[in-house]
Amino acid sequence: MTQTHNPAVPEHELLTRKSFLRTLTAPDWLFALFTAAAALFAQIQAAHHMDVYETVILWSSAVSAVLLGWFFKPMRWFVPGALLAAYGAMQLYGGNIARTETFFLKYFLSSQSAIMWQCAFVFFALAAYTAGGIVAKRQHRDTNTLLGMGTAFAWVSAFAGFTGLLVRWHESYLLRPDAGHIPVSNLYEVFILFLVITALMYLYYEGRFAVQKLGGFVFTFMAGVVCFVLWYSFSREAHTIQPLIPALQSWWMKIHVPANFVGYGAFCIAAMLGVAELLAIRNEKNNRKSWLPPSQVIEEIMYKAIAVGFLFFTLATILGALWAADAWGRYWSWDPKETWAFIVWLNYAVWLHLRLVAGWRGRILAWWAIVGLFVTAFAFVGVNMFLSGLHSYGTL
């Protein structure tokens, strides 16, 4: 019997599809099976809390997690591990929030303790990456034990933060069974999400391009964010779980906010890579042996980060417009938050245009990415602090 295929699909695409499927191993399929089983278990356990939209989001997230695990192999242990740790915390709670004082919850698995571990390991990762970079510079080597420790600490920080968010989700239902919610409703929670996403994105690029020596740049910025989180937590008690205000009681929030922070994380990584590229360019211009990767490699990673961030930020902006239409009856109102979101979008649209169409390279794009960090930071935090509008519920 002769084998046939759809003539509408080019033969080279069929070969690409076959080769991708052939790359999937038994652990890949086991990961997919585990993720599907976890989603089914979550739906059965929380059916009384979920409507049709949340069910769609749950299974869409499961499919996305499988595809991400197939694309980025470490996610095959990261996602199941965090789910199992969070489920262990749920069992320790046993439906009673007062059990937070038990040993493992108090010091490891409650949301606040897990998030504190995340913050600590950000600093551990920064110290290891920085020391490893100094050693690499002296020994003229691309990697060493300290850099490897930095990578390990970065994974632990992301794992602890993601686990903490999952447990915090459960804790919100223990505190208020009728008002539990996904933990992306205030600045404290989204900063934790931001730290998780930024760490994971950096770790992907680190593994993809073998650039461990750039970890010190990215985690310097993340350490600054952790300092803000700690101040915000202790001075404003922002870590306490509060009920959702009416404006946020929407399923749109569950997809708009995470997409937004993939964009924010990517743009912040790009800014730190811009600093690294400027140093690399200076060393290359002065014919000095650089301990950093070549400036062209750094710029390529920066470009990929901005491209991914721009895609997700565009998606988040569209979702935000749909949410606005559902909540306020209009898609766009030039509210300060919306205006600055457009400025951020336009800034990186121009950056991509200049690189892809005009062919710009080098120092000017690095500086542009660095300045873009301040534009993004003002859109993220500054608008909440200094301007008022329809999004004023996000104030500090």
Side-chain angles (χ1 to χ4, degrees), residues 211-266:
V211 286
Q212 283 183 310
K213 289 181 288 188
L214 297 179
F217 293 90
V218 175
F219 275 81
T220 295
F221 175 79
M222 291 179 62
V225 174
V226 167
C227 290
F228 175 84
V229 168
L230 294 175
W231 167 80
Y232 193 40
S233 176
F234 292 117
S235 69
R236 305 295 180 87
E237 296 188 353
H239 60 282
T240 58
I241 299 175
Q242 301 292 337
L244 286 178
I245 63 174
L248 297 178
Q249 293 175 7
S250 170
W251 62 272
W252 286 106
M253 181 184 70
K254 299 175 177 64
I255 51 179
H256 167 71
V257 175
N260 225 0
F261 280 86
V262 173
Y264 284 142

Side-chain angles (χ1 to χ4, degrees), residues 17 45 64 72 88 109 133 165 191 253 369 387 389:
R17 293 176 187 177
Q45 291 292 311
S64 299
F72 185 26
L109 289 178
L165 288 175
F191 265 118
M253 181 184 70
L387 302 177

Side-chain angles (χ1 to χ4, degrees), residues 53-70:
Y53 297 110
E54 291 171 325
T55 301
V56 171
I57 292 172
L58 170 66
W59 286 100
S60 299
S61 300
V63 172
S64 299
V66 170
L67 295 176
L68 182 61
W70 286 353

